[in-house]
Amino acid sequence: MVQKKTYSTGFLSGVSTKSTNIVDTVENYYDIALYCSSWDKRSISICSNDHLSSKFSLVILFHKKDRYGFRDKHDEIITTYAKSTSERQIYFREDSVSVELLGGKLQEAILDIFKKKGKSLKIFIDICSLPRFYLGLLMGFVFKNELVSSVTLFYAEGDYKNSGFQPNDYEFTTGRWKLIKIPMLEGNNDPYKRKFTFISVGFEGTKTLQMVDGIDPDRIAILFPDPGFSKEYTNTTKKQNSDLIKEYNIPKDNIIKAPAGNAILAWKALNEASIEKPNDENTFYLCCGTKPHSLALVLNSISKDYPTVMYRLPDGHPFADIEPNGIFWGFKINDLTSPPGL
C-alpha cells in the first residue's frame, strides 16, 4: 500500500511517499541522479528500480572499504547501474570526512550541469548512505541558488539486528565529534542573543550529550523518533538519550515527536511546535537522529533561513552490516517559485 503525506511552508512544498515497492517512491527521469556506495546494503536498494533513468549520474565512492568485500561488491553494482541508466557518469573518490573538498566538487558538478541546461534541474538523491553533511550542503546549495524545480530523495529503512552492535553500544561514527556549520545553512547569529538548540536524537545518546555539554545552550528542544522504525528502536532511543533529557531538564513540551522515517511529517511537526524564538535567540539545529529527521531540519532551515544547521563531523565511519527492512520512502521537495525543469 502506498501512503502519501504533504506539507508546505514558505517557498517549499514536500510530498512523502511510503511503499514496499521502490518504483512507487521515485519518478522515471531526472537531469541528475546522485548515488553513494557503502558497505550498508541499503546503498544498492535503488539499483533494483529498472524504471529510473537520468542524463547525468554523480557517483560517490569513498576511499575507505571493509574487510568483508561489501564495498567492492556494492561499488560494482552501483557503477553498473549508473552506466545503464544515465548518459554520462561522474565519479567522486574522496574520504567521507573530507567534507570541504568533496562538497566543493559536488557543487561544481551540479552548477556546471545547470549552466549547460540553462534552466531549472530535476534532481534525484539516494540518501541511504550519504553523510548528513552532503545532504544539507546540496539541499541548501540547489534551493538557495535557484538551481532546481524539485529534488527527490530516496531512503530505505534499516534493519539493525545483524549490524554487530550490542543493545547499549550503538555507534555509527568513530572518535569524537567536531561540530561544524553546514555551508549554505549557516543561518543568522547575533552575539547578543541567547542560544537555542533543536536536536534530532538517535542511538548515539552518549556522544550527543557530550556534544551538547560542549555547546552549553541556554535552551534545548528535541526532535524524537516516535513511532520509530520498530518499538525496540524507539525504546533504545529513549534509553540512550535519558541522561540528556534529565541533565538539561528538558520539559515534555520541548520534546517533539514525529515518525522516524517521515521527513515531511517531521518538518511539519517542527513548524507546528512553535517553540522557536528567533527574535530573542540564535537557533541551532543538531542532526543526531535518523536521516529523514535530519532532512526535516534542513528543510526547516532553508524555508525559514534563520536556523543554523550543525554537522557532527566524526573521525570516521565504522563498518556496520545493515540491511533494508523492506519499507522505502521518497521525499519530493518542490520550489514553488520555479517553473518545472522538465
Side-chain angles (χ1 to χ4, degrees):
M1 180 181 294
V2 178
Q3 299 179 16
K4 290 182 178 289
K5 299 293 181 180
T6 62
Y7 183 69
S8 65
T9 184
F11 70 98
L12 296 180
S13 70
V15 181
S16 68
T17 304
K18 178 184 180 181
S19 178
T20 55
N21 187 344
I22 291 176
V23 174
D24 295 331
T25 63
V26 299
E27 297 175 6
N28 292 339
Y29 185 81
Y30 297 90
D31 295 300
I32 298 173
L34 187 149
Y35 309 100
C36 182
S37 184
S38 169
W39 40 71
D40 186 327
K41 294 182 179 68
R42 292 177 296 172
S43 67
I44 59 171
S45 292
I46 195 62
C47 299
S48 66
N49 184 351
D50 56 7
H51 295 274
L52 177 63
S53 63
S54 62
K55 187 173 183 63
F56 291 88
S57 288
L58 308 185
V59 182
I60 300 174
L61 304 170
F62 291 126
H63 288 328
K64 185 177 180 180
K65 296 193 176 184
D66 62 283
R67 61 190 176 94
Y68 302 101
F70 286 121
R71 265 293 310 279
D72 291 330
K73 178 181 178 181
H74 296 169
D75 286 6
E76 182 178 356
I77 291 172
I78 290 173
T79 54
T80 299
Y81 183 74
K83 289 177 182 178
S84 66
T85 59
S86 63
E87 298 177 27
R88 182 183 171 190
Q89 303 79 46
I90 305 173
Y91 298 95
F92 302 87
R93 295 176 172 86
E94 302 291 346
D95 288 326
S96 61
V97 294
S98 298
V99 291
E100 292 184 6
L101 179 60
L102 178 55
K105 290 182 177 181
L106 290 168
Q107 290 178 90
E108 289 176 8
I110 293 173
L111 184 58
D112 183 58
I113 294 170
F114 171 79
K115 290 178 178 178
K116 289 178 179 177
K117 182 177 181 182
K119 59 181 179 179
S120 298
L121 301 171
K122 188 177 176 182
I123 296 179
F124 167 85
I125 303 177
D126 184 341
I127 64 172
C128 291
S129 301
L130 185 69
R132 290 160 177 78
F133 177 89
Y134 306 107
L135 165 61
L137 173 69
L138 294 178
M139 291 294 285
F141 177 68
V142 298
F143 280 108
K144 291 195 173 184
N145 286 294
E146 301 179 347
L147 304 182
V148 295
S149 58
S150 69
V151 177
T152 297
L153 307 105
F154 170 77
Y155 180 74
E157 290 188 11
D159 184 344
Y160 300 92
K161 66 178 181 294
N162 294 321
S163 64
F165 296 133
Q166 298 301 315
N168 297 314
D169 188 29
Y170 289 88
E171 285 206 343
F172 300 100
T173 57
T174 56
R176 293 184 65 87
W177 290 345
K178 175 185 177 182
L179 267 182
I180 59 174
K181 296 179 181 178
I182 297 181
M184 306 302 301
L185 302 177
E186 293 96 342
N188 300 322
N189 293 284
D190 185 337
Y192 296 102
K193 290 183 179 180
R194 291 163 59 85
K195 187 184 299 181
F196 170 60
T197 58
F198 214 138
I199 311 166
S200 64
V201 296
F203 291 157
E204 295 183 283
T206 299
K207 288 185 177 180
T208 300
L209 176 57
Q210 293 172 349
M211 182 177 62
V212 173
D213 287 341
I215 297 171
D216 192 26
D218 297 295
R219 194 167 67 95
I220 294 178
I222 284 178
L223 179 59
F224 190 87
D226 188 6
F229 297 140
S230 72
K231 186 174 181 180
E232 177 187 358
Y233 297 164
T234 301
N235 291 335
T236 298
T237 303
K238 288 180 181 178
K239 183 175 182 179
Q240 290 292 320
N241 292 278
S242 60
D243 288 343
L244 170 66
I245 295 171
K246 181 178 180 181
E247 288 192 24
Y248 283 89
N249 194 27
I250 302 174
K252 289 185 178 180
D253 289 345
N254 279 22
I255 300 176
I256 310 306
K257 296 180 180 180
N262 198 325
I264 302 304
L265 289 185
W267 181 25
K268 179 181 180 181
L270 286 170
N271 275 284
E272 293 185 346
S274 298
I275 58 177
E276 296 175 1
K277 302 175 182 178
N279 292 329
D280 304 316
E281 299 172 330
N282 293 315
T283 302
F284 296 89
Y285 291 162
L286 307 182
C287 301
C288 303
T290 69
K291 196 73 66 70
H293 278 196
S294 295
L295 175 57
L297 291 172
V298 167
L299 292 173
N300 221 36
S301 174
I302 295 171
S303 62
K304 290 185 173 182
D305 201 42
Y306 64 79
T308 300
V309 183
M310 307 294 293
Y311 176 68
R312 67 291 193 285
L313 180 66
D315 291 333
H317 296 93
F319 170 80
D321 184 8
I322 301 171
E323 299 183 2
N325 69 5
I327 298 176
F328 306 102
W329 295 85
F331 308 109
K332 184 178 181 181
I333 313 302
N334 301 289
D335 183 338
L336 298 176
T337 67
S338 173
L342 292 174

